[in-house]
Amino acid sequence: MTISELGERALIARVRARTPSAPDWILTGIGDDAAVLRPARGMVDVVTTDAMVEDVHFRRAWSTPEEIGHRALAVNLSDLAAMGAAPRALLLSLALPGQLPLDDFDGVIDGFLALAARERAPLVGGNLTRSPGPLVIDVTAIGAARPRRILHRSGARAGDRLFVTGRLGAAAAGLAIRTAGTDLSGCDEDQRACVERYHRPDARLRTGVVVANNRAASACMDVSDGLADAARQIAEASGCGMELNADAIPIHRGTRAWAAAVGSDALSVAWSGGEDYELLFAVPKRRTRLFLAAVRQAGETEVTEIGVCTKNREVCAVASGIRSPVPVGFQHFNNQPPLRQQQMS
């Protein structure tokens, strides 16, 4: 059965049937013209949105419907994590090709709602419409944060130390493996981990929120478009420079193995590959111990120190004692590799 055979109202009913009971601060949820939320006392709303377009950001031939739904939400949650905001409510809009199988529709919703339930972020509304072409998934995520604890890109200062979560390059390697048409049954554990990282990214929500609540960092950004892009954007917004230790950048083991196998440079993938949804923090030197304690408290991922903010506004990398400009990160309308996401900010 396709979605056209079922109709809009029945599709909405299928979404509502899968949605858990709303918390009491949601006064009106799915089913009215708009959702009504009771404000969180002493908090401000943090709102972000991202759209994913079939054959630009994902391919149904590569990804399961559940993976597509998961990924559509994860990229939004990563933006909240970078601001230190806890997710509070979600809106989901779908532009659906008429011949989309009903099982695929259900799978996208199930993948989305599974991650939403894990992060305690209720779905409160959205929209369904017909698409004459690709499947389009548009998500709006509403978070909550204390006004003086929000993390911005503009707070870094000369002398701040730079830390990045996790290990970089896995998602870009996973995308390359998919693009090459590699038979996944022949992939080793590290290669499969890269593919999984591409299909099911994890937002570092708890890390971002705990660090923000402890006022342990001065600035933050997610590295969805590569480490180079995040470093340049924080430096520009903060009016400072950065010196990054290229030898210290944590690169995923699977990325190194893939790069060696195809004759590529693993560090270049970490600089510009993107899709990792890790976090880059600037941390005042006096708060380093507090920051590391907050990361341990979050218990979500490791962090690695990779550089320092400088008065000189140059953003450079140092490798084996040699200084060079940091490469340009991914830019959606200038670079044209398939299946990339770009935040409009």
Side-chain angles (χ1 to χ4, degrees):
M1 180 179 288
T2 66
I3 61 165
S4 293
E5 296 174 89
L6 199 61
E8 179 183 1
R9 291 187 179 181
L11 291 174
I12 294 173
R14 293 177 82 84
V15 176
R16 293 186 69 174
R18 287 168 161 76
T19 305
S21 298
D24 59 9
W25 50 264
I26 297 178
L27 305 182
T28 304
I30 297 174
D32 219 313
D33 286 334
V36 181
L37 314 180
R38 181 183 292 116
R41 186 175 181 180
M43 311 288 271
V44 294
D45 293 332
V46 180
V47 184
T48 186
T49 187
D50 271 302
M52 286 177 43
V53 181
E54 183 179 358
D55 293 331
V56 176
H57 307 109
F58 65 90
R59 290 183 185 168
R60 282 192 279 151
W62 291 356
S63 303
T64 67
E66 290 79 8
E67 289 170 340
I68 294 169
H70 173 105
R71 193 164 183 267
L73 177 53
V75 301
N76 284 270
L77 296 180
S78 182
D79 289 329
L80 294 184
M83 302 292 288
R88 194 158 190 259
L90 307 170
L91 298 170
L92 173 64
S93 293
L94 299 169
L96 305 166
Q99 296 307 306
L100 182 75
L102 183 59
D103 286 348
D104 285 9
F105 173 84
D106 288 343
V108 170
I109 298 300
D110 288 344
F112 180 96
L113 290 178
L115 179 56
R118 192 182 87 187
E119 301 298 348
R120 299 180 180 179
L123 179 65
V124 299
N127 183 59
L128 298 181
T129 190
R130 179 187 291 271
S131 168
L135 168 63
V136 180
I137 307 171
D138 186 35
V139 177
T140 297
I142 303 169
R146 296 192 181 281
R148 299 183 66 181
R149 288 181 169 85
I150 295 173
L151 292 168
H152 297 279
R153 300 176 186 180
S154 58
R157 297 293 180 266
D160 286 0
R161 302 165 73 177
L162 296 167
F163 292 84
V164 69
T165 62
R167 295 191 168 271
L168 305 179
L175 171 58
I177 291 168
R178 276 303 203 180
T179 303
T182 305
D183 182 359
L184 298 186
S185 64
C187 291
D188 61 23
E189 182 179 351
D190 290 336
Q191 290 174 315
R192 287 195 296 271
C194 289
V195 173
E196 176 71 7
R197 184 67 176 156
Y198 169 71
H199 285 308
R200 290 183 177 272
D202 284 324
R204 302 304 188 186
L205 266 172
R206 181 163 172 79
T207 301
V209 170
V210 174
V211 168
N213 285 343
N214 282 276
R215 298 183 180 180
S218 58
C220 184
M221 181 177 170
D222 78 344
V223 294
S224 55
D225 290 311
L227 178 61
D229 174 77
R232 288 183 181 278
Q233 292 212 45
I234 290 178
E236 181 179 353
S238 299
C240 67
M242 289 186 182
E243 186 174 285
L244 299 165
N245 180 0
D247 298 324
I249 292 172
I251 301 175
H252 192 277
R253 185 171 64 182
T255 306
R256 292 189 183 279
W258 169 81
V262 301
S264 184
D265 176 26
L267 180 58
S268 295
V269 177
W271 280 131
S272 303
E275 303 286 1
D276 286 309
Y277 300 102
E278 299 291 351
L279 299 177
L280 175 63
F281 291 99
V283 179
K285 187 174 181 180
R286 68 183 183 281
R287 298 185 190 174
T288 301
R289 292 180 65 181
L290 178 62
F291 171 77
L292 295 175
V295 172
R296 288 193 297 270
Q297 179 186 341
E300 191 173 49
T301 185
E302 62 186 347
V303 293
T304 303
E305 185 175 355
I306 61 168
V308 65
C309 296
T310 62
K311 290 182 180 179
N312 183 333
R313 293 198 176 191
E314 179 187 12
V315 180
C316 68
V318 179
S320 302
I322 300 173
R323 295 169 60 90
S324 60
V326 166
V328 176
F330 180 85
Q331 298 180 42
H332 194 74
F333 292 102
N334 294 334
N335 305 64
Q336 294 301 324
L339 312 183
R340 291 302 315 271
Q341 187 78 14
Q342 174 75 12
Q343 176 71 10
M344 192 173 67
S345 55

